[in-house]
Amino acid sequence: MGSLLNKDDDPENFPLLLSGSMSDGQSAAKEVADDGLSYEYDIIYISKIEISDENGIEYVAEAPGYIRIFYDNNSYESHLPTGSLNNQTFIDGYQLKQQIHSIMKEQNLRSISSSSTSIDKANIFFQFSDPNPPIDCNILEKIELFRQNITNEQQQIGRRNIEQFSLYILDVFDKETKYFLCKLSKELFHIDLSNQHINKYHTKIKQLIHLYKTLYLSLAGIPMPSNLTHKLRLILNFYEQYRHLVDENALESQFEIFEMYNKRILTEDCDIVIGIKLKFWPQIIQTRMNYLKYNKSHIYNKIKNATVYAIPKWSKSTDSEAAPYEFRLSFSVFESILARSRYDIEKKLNNIARRIYYRYIKKQDSSCGSGEGTNNIEECISSYVVKTCVLWMCEMYDLKNDYKNVNDEQEISRDLFKRFINFFRERLETKLCQHYFIEQINLLSSYNSSTITRSLDALNNIDVKHHLKTNYKPYIPKRDFIHFTSNIVEEFHELELNHFDVQCPFYIPEKYNSYLKRLYRLFLLIIERNDRNWWIHLSTILFNKSTENQSDIIDLSNINIQEIIDCLVTFVNNVQRRWPIIKYLIFENDSMKEFVIEKRHMFVKYGIKFCEQFIYDDTLGYLKQNCFSETLQTNIKHSKQIDYPYDEYNRPIQCSITLKKSEQTEKEEELSILIPIDVLFDEFWNGNFPYLVDHVLVLSTAGYLITKFIFATDKYYQESNPVRSKFMPCLRIIKLIRSILEIRRRATLYSSVE
């Protein structure tokens, strides 16, 4: 096994980039279309081909923004597809796309609904029909059989590999915890998080990582520490003690509702484009860049080191014989930099614009694309037109100052909504929307009158008030399928008092305990499903042995029962759905594993670079939907910092809880409980940490597979299949994106059990 990565290589040169909405924090915008297609992402594969200067290209005179790339056998690899046009030899971009499309279809292991590439489209398109990994109903038998036959050598390999993954995740959180928590607190609550809180939460995250590590070690037959197995048995015994009280009909009804939500996610769309790097800025954008440099320096300074890529795509402005050799100039990196560096108010505008597009414009016609402007006739306005409108609005208007004295979020949203519609409408009415970087291109010139009219009608018929009130989070109705008597509530509370350092703050004597409710909803709906004896069997396999060795005792101080429940459920759900890949990762032993261990700190750096923005944006969106968010925003919005010395945050606030009076009646009663703000604040964060840690865990394992394939492909395979080996990483990046999307789906599902 040979490594493609040398000692001096830097993960900054990793050949894959996220682009589009997932890159600029708007990956959830498409969900508002309510068309059952929730997953969509774009990937740029960066070819090793690089063009040094203008002498390496020829501009397509008939189509501004398009070029041809001269083939130089002294600079480029001999296997590249080429062809002749006007006695010149050019790289054949269309044939390159066809080769990669064929390779990916052949090697792909997933269920594909459709796939395509064409000479006049920039992307290689894949639509997958299996976005949700199915549950393996026989997983317990498989784990038990595997553990019975595991060798001492496999067990030691498993221990080493799990510990290395844990160290990787610890490194990620050591570098990112303060940045993430401070930035999220600032955006959610407009406060600066105190160092005391940061240190406390960082300690909690490290404890949860060790808890996950211990659970995964049990798969390798390594006994759990006795203090953890004791708590797990207490939880499982309590659950089994009252499991018979569950209303099976009500439970089955809730199962059906959950399945309806799962089926809502029908497909997953992936667009892949090949990017050939230009090591210079093409002459066609120099006038525009000079204008930004001398008149909008705050914009220019952000993008002055950005790279232009050439993407294979026919302009349709030339004869068909020239089509295979044309490449469109792409400014995706420029656009991503600008999107990520925007002020909050500008990000809000971008979010509103994208939601308007997906809900009202694209929904009118499923043929909508995302092309960056051509001269062919289009049937639906492209999302790139909307992206460009936002770029122009952020340059033309000083939105930060426009709203600096406005505190009403609804008022800001309403005004931004109207401003974007008016701006977009004006472009449609004049049929003029200039490309942001290439002055010679009008993005609307390719659309006929009926397309423009249809989009204008959609804009004019939008009900602003209705749009702003709409909640785009999928609604999952809930039914109570177990009634907790006063004795059960008190027995559970006694369990917390005697065996856990921290108790549930949402506790009303003899009436209510939110951790108790969550225990049964998660165990029943997410894990047990139709296997009544699931937890008994799992306990027998994984928790039947423990170690009293003090060096193995895990630190569970200040860990509450809900955090253990959440980690256990997340762990089991991963095993149910991903046992083959988990087994492979834990027990694999080759030279690549040694290489990754040696280069761990470098891969931590790359992992953060690749996923940081998306994880932040997705986490922020998820936290905004948390049931505590609005309460906390209301009660701490007038202060700059939450800190324990401040009496303000010992002040109790009233939280309402709705309960059914009994299992025989549908009547409800409203109960109130007083909770200090700082306790509620801790509950908000602690309740989300198990899933945040799992986010990074899943992404890290998926990222390892990508790394392994890209940097440790067999040398013979590379030499005998040069094109195939260079573009196969796209398959692995799809696996990573799939893991990200599954995280979002699962987080939404888990939040619905509150």
Side-chain angles (χ1 to χ4, degrees):
M1 181 77 69
S3 172
L4 295 177
L5 191 65
N6 299 318
K7 287 186 177 180
D8 297 328
D9 284 337
D10 192 306
E12 294 289 329
N13 298 321
F14 206 78
L16 297 166
L17 292 174
L18 287 180
S19 64
S21 58
M22 189 170 282
S23 174
D24 62 20
Q26 301 297 325
S27 57
K30 193 177 186 299
E31 293 178 4
V32 304
D34 195 29
D35 59 1
L37 179 60
S38 298
Y39 296 165
E40 183 180 68
Y41 49 93
D42 305 295
I43 299 166
I44 300 177
Y45 180 86
I46 303 172
S47 168
K48 288 193 174 182
I49 305 168
E50 293 184 349
I51 306 170
S52 299
D53 52 45
E54 295 265 355
N55 294 326
I57 65 173
E58 174 183 270
Y59 290 99
V60 178
E62 302 91 331
Y66 283 81
I67 63 171
R68 301 183 187 98
I69 302 174
F70 293 113
Y71 176 73
D72 181 354
N73 56 10
N74 294 319
S75 302
Y76 302 144
E77 295 156 334
S78 59
H79 65 268
L80 281 174
T82 61
S84 295
L85 181 70
N86 300 327
N87 297 320
Q88 296 280 0
T89 303
F90 297 102
I91 294 176
D92 188 330
Y94 179 51
Q95 190 176 340
L96 189 60
K97 282 194 297 185
Q98 287 180 310
Q99 288 178 350
I100 298 165
H101 180 231
S102 175
I103 292 168
M104 295 188 69
K105 283 186 67 176
E106 175 189 336
Q107 298 293 327
N108 181 70
L109 300 177
R110 299 182 57 189
S111 299
I112 299 176
S113 299
S114 64
S115 69
S116 63
T117 188
S118 65
I119 202 164
D120 61 328
K121 298 292 184 183
N123 63 316
I124 302 169
F125 172 77
F126 283 88
Q127 186 174 86
F128 301 101
S129 57
D130 61 344
N132 300 327
I135 288 176
D136 185 345
C137 297
N138 300 313
I139 185 60
L140 289 178
E141 291 83 353
K142 292 178 181 179
I143 292 175
E144 186 172 22
L145 180 63
F146 176 79
R147 281 164 50 96
Q148 288 172 355
N149 296 295
I150 193 172
T151 65
N152 289 334
E153 182 183 5
Q154 284 179 310
Q155 192 172 79
Q156 292 307 310
I157 291 170
R159 180 190 288 273
R160 182 201 65 171
N161 291 347
I162 292 171
E163 288 178 348
Q164 287 300 319
F165 276 120
S166 299
L167 287 173
Y168 175 91
I169 298 165
L170 283 167
D171 285 350
V172 170
F173 277 103
D174 283 345
K175 291 180 179 295
E176 292 292 287
T177 295
K178 182 174 182 178
Y179 166 77
F180 252 61
L181 293 183
C182 288
K183 190 175 179 183
L184 287 168
S185 294
K186 194 75 172 178
E187 187 145 358
L188 284 167
F189 309 119
H190 309 291
I191 61 168
D192 296 312
L193 203 60
S194 71
N195 287 330
Q196 187 172 355
H197 276 82
I198 293 169
N199 294 334
K200 180 175 68 171
Y201 294 154
H202 191 195
T203 298
K204 174 63 67 71
I205 287 171
K206 289 194 288 187
Q207 287 179 291
L208 295 176
I209 292 171
H210 287 299
L211 176 53
Y212 275 120
K213 181 182 78 171
T214 303
L215 290 171
Y216 280 100
L217 283 170
S218 70
L219 296 174
I222 298 170
M224 291 187 188
S226 57
N227 65 329
L228 177 58
T229 55
H230 176 64
K231 293 184 187 298
L232 289 173
R233 289 191 188 112
L234 287 171
I235 294 170
L236 292 174
N237 289 342
F238 186 94
Y239 170 78
E240 288 296 335
Q241 183 178 352
Y242 297 108
R243 171 64 178 79
H244 67 281
L245 297 177
V246 171
D247 181 339
E248 298 295 341
N249 291 330
L251 178 61
E252 183 61 31
S253 175
Q254 191 73 69
F255 274 143
E256 292 174 0
I257 293 171
F258 268 56
E259 287 305 311
M260 285 176 58
Y261 170 73
N262 280 328
K263 290 177 181 178
R264 176 180 178 268
I265 305 171
L266 300 176
T267 54
E268 174 186 323
D269 283 3
C270 172
D271 286 333
I272 300 166
V273 297
I274 305 163
I276 296 178
K277 182 178 181 179
L278 275 61
K279 299 177 73 173
F280 60 95
W281 280 354
Q283 192 63 39
I284 197 170
I285 70 168
Q286 290 298 337
T287 302
R288 172 64 175 155
M289 299 311 293
N290 285 334
Y291 171 81
L292 292 175
K293 181 177 182 179
Y294 295 109
N295 297 279
K296 303 286 182 179
S297 59
H298 64 289
I299 296 176
Y300 178 83
N301 289 333
K302 295 174 184 176
I303 57 177
K304 63 183 180 181
N305 296 317
T307 300
V308 179
Y309 288 95
I311 308 296
K313 181 182 186 295
W314 181 29
S315 66
K316 282 192 174 181
S317 298
T318 57
D319 294 337
S320 58
E321 64 175 337
Y325 314 114
E326 293 184 359
F327 292 76
R328 189 197 68 219
L329 297 176
S330 171
F331 302 90
S332 292
V333 175
F334 290 68
E335 292 153 2
S336 292
I337 291 171
L338 292 176
R340 291 195 298 268
S341 63
R342 285 173 179 148
Y343 295 117
D344 290 344
I345 191 69
E346 294 171 332
K347 291 179 179 179
K348 192 178 189 72
L349 169 68
N350 190 32
N351 181 271
I352 288 171
R354 283 183 175 272
R355 288 177 180 271
I356 289 173
Y357 173 75
Y358 283 115
R359 187 166 182 82
Y360 302 106
I361 306 300
K362 184 169 184 178
K363 195 173 182 180
Q364 303 298 316
D365 192 330
S366 60
S367 65
C368 280
S370 58
E372 299 183 18
T374 65
N375 291 327
N376 54 298
I377 299 301
E378 300 283 356
E379 296 181 356
C380 175
I381 300 295
S382 160
S383 62
Y384 191 74
V385 176
V386 172
K387 177 189 281 191
T388 303
C389 285
V390 173
L391 285 168
W392 282 117
M393 289 184 72
C394 290
E395 176 181 331
M396 294 166 64
Y397 306 125
D398 188 356
L399 297 176
K400 184 180 180 182
N401 280 324
D402 288 350
Y403 297 97
K404 65 180 180 181
N405 296 320
V406 183
N407 297 318
D408 188 331
E409 290 295 323
Q410 281 292 314
E411 181 182 346
I412 294 173
S413 295
R414 186 163 48 249
D415 195 60
L416 287 174
F417 189 95
K418 292 177 179 178
R419 288 179 75 167
F420 174 76
I421 287 181
N422 290 335
F423 188 93
F424 192 24
R425 182 190 291 117
E426 183 179 336
R427 268 72 200 154
L428 292 173
E429 289 174 344
T430 59
K431 203 177 179 182
L432 176 61
C433 181
Q434 188 181 50
H435 192 286
Y436 191 71
F437 297 101
I438 303 176
E439 296 175 321
Q440 298 92 320
I441 294 179
N442 172 18
L443 296 178
L444 293 177
S445 64
S446 60
Y447 299 101
N448 58 35
S449 298
S450 61
T451 301
I452 298 291
T453 300
R454 195 163 58 245
S455 297
L456 280 169
D457 289 343
L459 286 179
N460 292 331
N461 290 323
I462 296 175
D463 184 334
V464 179
K465 291 183 179 179
H466 173 74
H467 177 90
L468 294 175
K469 288 181 179 179
T470 302
N471 179 10
Y472 299 112
K473 180 182 178 181
Y475 173 65
I476 304 178
K478 302 169 192 169
R479 287 191 62 184
D480 287 332
F481 40 75
I482 183 170
H483 173 69
F484 300 113
T485 65
S486 58
N487 288 338
I488 297 175
V489 173
E490 289 308 298
E491 187 177 338
F492 187 81
H493 184 60
E494 193 72 19
L495 176 70
E496 288 186 282
L497 288 172
N498 292 335
H499 301 284
F500 296 87
D501 292 346
V502 182
Q503 290 76 49
C504 177
F506 291 94
Y507 161 69
I508 301 175
E510 300 185 355
K511 291 189 176 183
Y512 183 79
N513 186 307
S514 66
Y515 293 177
L516 172 62
K517 181 179 180 181
R518 186 170 178 81
L519 165 65
Y520 278 86
R521 293 190 71 85
L522 279 178
F523 274 29
L524 288 164
L525 292 175
I526 305 298
I527 303 300
E528 182 182 308
R529 303 179 74 82
N530 295 318
D531 186 350
R532 173 66 180 82
N533 297 312
W534 166 267
W535 289 107
I536 296 174
H537 293 156
L538 179 72
S539 180
T540 302
I541 295 171
L542 296 185
F543 310 150
N544 60 338
K545 292 182 181 180
S546 61
T547 175
E548 299 290 342
N549 191 331
Q550 289 301 309
S551 63
D552 292 328
I553 295 299
I554 185 173
D555 179 13
L556 297 175
S557 58
N558 297 314
I559 297 288
N560 63 44
I561 193 170
Q562 176 176 285
E563 289 160 349
I564 292 180
I565 290 169
D566 287 351
C567 287
L568 178 62
V569 168
T570 304
F571 160 73
V572 172
N573 193 39
N574 283 335
V575 172
Q576 284 181 329
R577 296 174 182 274
R578 297 185 176 89
W579 170 241
I581 193 66
I582 289 173
K583 184 172 69 171
Y584 171 78
L585 287 166
I586 292 177
F587 301 104
E588 172 201 35
N589 185 35
D590 60 21
S591 59
M592 180 56 190
K593 186 73 71 173
E594 300 293 338
F595 173 74
V596 171
I597 291 172
E598 178 188 350
K599 298 283 187 179
R600 188 181 80 238
H601 295 295
M602 185 187 67
F603 289 121
V604 166
K605 179 182 177 182
Y606 173 71
I608 291 172
K609 175 180 179 291
F610 189 85
C611 292
E612 179 184 69
Q613 186 65 39
F614 170 74
I615 289 294
Y616 174 81
D617 293 322
D618 208 50
T619 301
L620 176 64
Y622 175 60
L623 292 178
K624 283 181 177 179
Q625 298 174 0
N626 186 281
C627 57
F628 298 144
S629 291
E630 187 174 347
T631 302
L632 286 168
Q633 288 169 355
T634 301
N635 284 275
I636 65 179
K637 65 182 179 180
H638 299 301
S639 179
K640 293 183 178 179
Q641 185 179 50
I642 279 193
D643 211 347
Y644 289 116
Y646 295 167
D647 291 337
E648 166 72 12
Y649 296 105
N650 292 319
R651 176 175 60 83
I653 57 176
Q654 183 168 295
C655 297
S656 297
I657 296 170
T658 302
L659 295 178
K660 283 187 178 180
K661 287 189 175 180
S662 73
E663 58 184 338
Q664 287 81 28
T665 178
E666 292 295 322
K667 292 183 179 180
E668 297 177 339
E669 63 175 322
E670 191 83 11
L671 301 176
S672 295
I673 183 171
L674 295 176
I675 298 179
I677 296 177
D678 63 331
V679 173
L680 187 62
F681 194 72
D682 284 347
E683 188 71 7
F684 171 82
W685 285 113
N686 291 336
N688 287 289
F689 285 150
Y691 302 113
L692 183 58
V693 172
D694 183 55
H695 281 28
V696 178
L697 176 64
V698 173
L699 291 173
S700 298
T701 54
Y704 168 75
L705 294 178
I706 298 170
T707 302
K708 176 181 172 62
F709 191 87
I710 292 176
F711 296 125
T713 304
D714 181 81
K715 284 185 177 180
Y716 172 79
Y717 186 74
Q718 296 173 48
E719 293 167 358
S720 59
N721 300 275
V723 174
R724 185 181 300 265
S725 67
K726 288 182 183 300
F727 292 100
M728 280 287 285
C730 290
L731 291 175
R732 293 302 187 263
I733 199 69
I734 290 171
K735 286 184 176 291
L736 172 61
I737 302 298
R738 180 189 185 186
S739 298
I740 295 173
L741 298 173
E742 168 61 16
I743 285 170
R744 180 195 298 164
R745 184 197 69 84
R746 189 169 62 211
T748 302
L749 204 60
Y750 284 6
S751 69
S752 70
V753 305
E754 297 290 352

